[in-house]
Amino acid sequence: MTGANISDSSLLMASSLVVISLLFSYFQKLRLEKETLISVIRAVIQLFAVGYILQFIFGLHNSFVTSLIVLLMIFNASYNASKRGKGIQNGLLISFLSILAGTCATLLVLLLSGAIRYEANQIIPISGMIISNAMVAIGLCYRQLKSNFKSRKVEVETKLSLGADILPASMDILRDSIRTGMLPTIDSTKTLGIVSLPGMMTGLILAGESPLTAIRFQILVSFMLLSTTAISSFMACFLSYRKFFNKRKQLI
Amino acid sequence: MLEIDPVKIRKKIGFCFQEPILWGDTVEENIKFPYDIRNQKTDYKKTSVLLDRLHLDNSYLKHDVKNLSGGEKQRIALIRTLLFKPEVLLLDEITSALDDNNTELVENEIVRLNRKGVTILWVTHSDTQSRKYASKLLSIQDGQIKSLEVLK
């Protein structure tokens, strides 16, 4: 197996691709030169930093540090997701618990099945995929919850007036929001390999793995993303719908 | 009053909105709702009696809620509220968007309920309607109480 190895000089030469983009921007008066440059420099610095940090952490072989990093990633993701759910009380805590539950459940199955081992170089990248997927799913759930409780206000109030408690009055909205959170993952799972060769699979192939090994990993990833989005969306919706009602069980 | 669980109170007080909202796909889903929230089986006999009284029939249960007229929607919303007889019924201009025929059907049902001991609080813009049915008539103009008449 010989993987593609990128030397510094080839990286430097490849940077001419950025110049093409800059020239385009300049001659077409897109006024994107400054932004392009900043984004490229930022990306390079960020990635090198992450590369060195990961190299360091992988070398530590310390499962406590690994767990800490995963928790930090979950916190970051929850913070981002809760911004989508602005106005939802305890959005940060709810997001944190939902992503944590989704991540733990999925990691546990993967670990118990022997698919991965609790080592930094396996846990951190896998958690990264799980957590970012859960973050996107929860963000979608929040948006859908908020817009549904607004646009279907009279429906909810009618159900309340019939004597329904807040859960049955919100059930249809909850279902719809959880579906919204899960659909992108299901859709992309459907088209895997046909429309897109996912980044992870591409990465493995580039690194010299056989496509047959790569697809095995990809199948594993698809399974875990499905379970994570399901768990996280479900939890986030069921933990947050109460916040749309007051103590007198009126829709706010 | 504020100490009591609002869900319990709401089960005793029926409320019909000016613009009736039916959800889901079929009329049946709406009819089932009051039973579902009480963990009871849908009483189709009672449903069909009520449908009959408001000049609808059992075939409506399978109808798509999107294909109903305003009058049909309002009558089904009323049935949904009446499946469990409330002690008090609040009506918010429920006939304002209905034609004469539908209005009469709804009015008759409300009068029947009132005779059976249900207290009705009926908000309407129609002076004729209020004078025809009310026993006490509270008139409000520009947000101020104008008069309280005891008619019957």
Side-chain angles (χ1 to χ4, degrees):
Chain A
M1 277 194 309
T2 47
N5 204 350
I6 304 171
S7 66
D8 287 347
S9 57
S10 48
L11 205 55
L12 216 56
M13 272 187 332
S15 67
S16 61
L17 293 169
V18 178
V19 179
I20 294 177
S21 151
L22 286 176
L23 288 175
F24 251 100
S25 174
Y26 180 73
F27 285 112
Q28 293 292 320
K29 302 197 170 59
L30 303 177
R31 274 190 241 141
L32 290 171
E33 300 92 310
K34 199 175 148 195
E35 253 186 276
T36 309
L37 265 180
I38 291 174
S39 71
V40 168
I41 293 168
R42 261 190 71 158
V44 170
I45 294 173
Q46 282 172 17
L47 286 174
F48 264 99
V50 166
Y52 278 111
I53 292 170
L54 285 179
Q55 180 116 357
F56 173 72
I57 293 164
F58 290 173
L60 284 178
H61 295 291
N62 182 336
S63 42
F64 177 73
V65 176
T66 306
S67 310
L68 210 65
I69 300 274
V70 172
L71 279 178
L72 200 71
M73 286 158 77
I74 294 177
F75 180 79
N76 254 320
S78 333
Y79 179 73
N80 254 312
S82 69
K83 276 202 287 195
R84 294 256 162 195
K86 246 187 200 153
I88 294 175
Q89 265 181 47
N90 302 334
L92 183 61
L93 182 69
I94 290 170
S95 311
F96 185 79
L97 291 176
S98 310
I99 300 178
L100 184 72
T103 309
C104 287
T106 306
L107 280 182
L108 203 70
V109 173
L110 292 180
L111 286 167
L112 288 179
S113 66
I116 58 168
R117 271 167 297 152
Y118 205 92
E119 279 166 19
N121 62 351
Q122 297 189 13
I123 289 292
I124 291 176
I126 296 253
S127 302
M129 278 190 273
I130 295 175
I131 293 166
S132 70
N133 223 259
M135 175 184 81
V136 174
I138 294 184
L140 288 171
C141 284
Y142 286 154
R143 229 179 40 191
Q144 191 69 5
L145 265 185
K146 286 204 292 189
S147 88
N148 263 339
F149 271 116
K150 209 174 193 178
S151 64
R152 294 163 74 175
K153 189 168 189 266
V154 186
E155 182 188 323
V156 177
E157 285 179 336
T158 304
K159 288 176 177 172
L160 290 172
S161 82
L162 285 165
D165 212 326
I166 56 172
L167 179 60
S170 324
M171 206 56 208
D172 285 341
I173 288 179
L174 289 176
R175 280 201 195 109
D176 183 55
S177 307
I178 296 172
R179 274 173 58 89
T180 306
M182 290 182 63
L183 268 178
T185 305
I186 295 172
D187 277 344
S188 70
T189 307
K190 251 188 269 178
T191 53
L192 271 183
I194 301 172
V195 178
S196 64
L197 283 184
M200 193 225 48
M201 199 168 134
T202 317
L204 281 174
I205 295 174
L206 279 177
E209 288 287 351
S210 89
L212 287 174
T213 313
I215 57 149
R216 275 167 184 276
F217 269 99
Q218 190 53 51
I219 290 170
L220 192 77
V221 169
S222 309
F223 288 168
M224 71 191 200
L225 294 188
L226 281 172
S227 87
T228 313
T229 43
I231 296 169
S232 305
S233 306
F234 182 87
M235 266 190 73
C237 287
F238 272 83
L239 287 176
S240 53
Y241 81 94
R242 279 167 214 279
K243 319 284 179 193
F244 289 90
F245 298 87
N246 64 14
K247 265 194 185 153
R248 299 295 304 152
K249 299 189 178 175
Q250 294 160 319
L251 188 62
I252 307 169
Chain B
M1 180 88 165
L2 286 172
E3 302 277 299
I4 312 169
D5 179 10
V7 171
K8 272 189 194 151
I9 305 176
R10 286 173 194 155
K11 285 201 173 95
K12 293 179 183 172
I13 303 176
F15 185 27
C16 278
F17 292 72
Q18 182 172 14
E19 264 186 53
I21 297 271
L22 302 183
W23 50 78
D25 296 321
T26 61
V27 171
E28 193 172 10
E29 280 177 56
N30 288 271
I31 295 297
K32 281 182 143 190
F33 191 81
Y35 291 100
D36 289 344
I37 56 174
R38 290 171 174 83
N39 290 320
Q40 289 183 21
K41 268 194 183 160
T42 310
D43 185 346
Y44 284 103
K45 254 189 197 162
K46 193 170 185 182
T47 307
S48 97
V49 169
L50 276 166
L51 281 167
D52 212 39
R53 228 188 268 141
L54 285 156
H55 290 209
L56 299 162
D57 58 62
N58 276 330
S59 72
Y60 272 88
L61 290 177
K62 300 289 171 211
H63 275 220
D64 188 334
V65 292
K66 287 174 211 81
N67 298 333
L68 298 172
S69 72
E72 289 167 332
K73 275 188 194 165
Q74 189 57 281
R75 280 182 280 161
I76 286 161
L78 185 64
I79 291 171
R80 192 175 58 193
T81 311
L82 299 181
L83 285 166
F84 291 85
K85 200 172 87 183
E87 290 174 22
V88 180
L89 184 59
L90 311 177
L91 306 170
D92 181 11
E93 290 200 50
I94 56 165
T95 57
S96 64
L98 302 187
D99 59 27
D100 292 349
N101 188 30
N102 272 305
T103 303
E104 200 188 327
L105 282 170
V106 169
E107 284 175 349
N108 287 342
E109 181 59 23
I110 292 163
V111 169
R112 208 190 62 83
L113 280 162
N114 188 225
R115 286 207 186 106
K116 282 201 156 186
V118 179
T119 305
I120 315 278
L121 186 65
W122 190 341
V123 177
T124 176
H125 267 127
S126 155
D127 199 46
T128 342
Q129 194 176 46
S130 51
R131 297 210 171 264
K132 194 169 166 193
Y133 298 109
S135 50
K136 293 192 194 86
L137 175 60
L138 185 69
S139 307
I140 295 177
Q141 197 172 24
D142 302 325
Q144 302 284 325
I145 293 177
K146 213 176 84 186
S147 63
L148 171 65
E149 302 164 63
V150 179
L151 301 175
K152 283 178 207 163

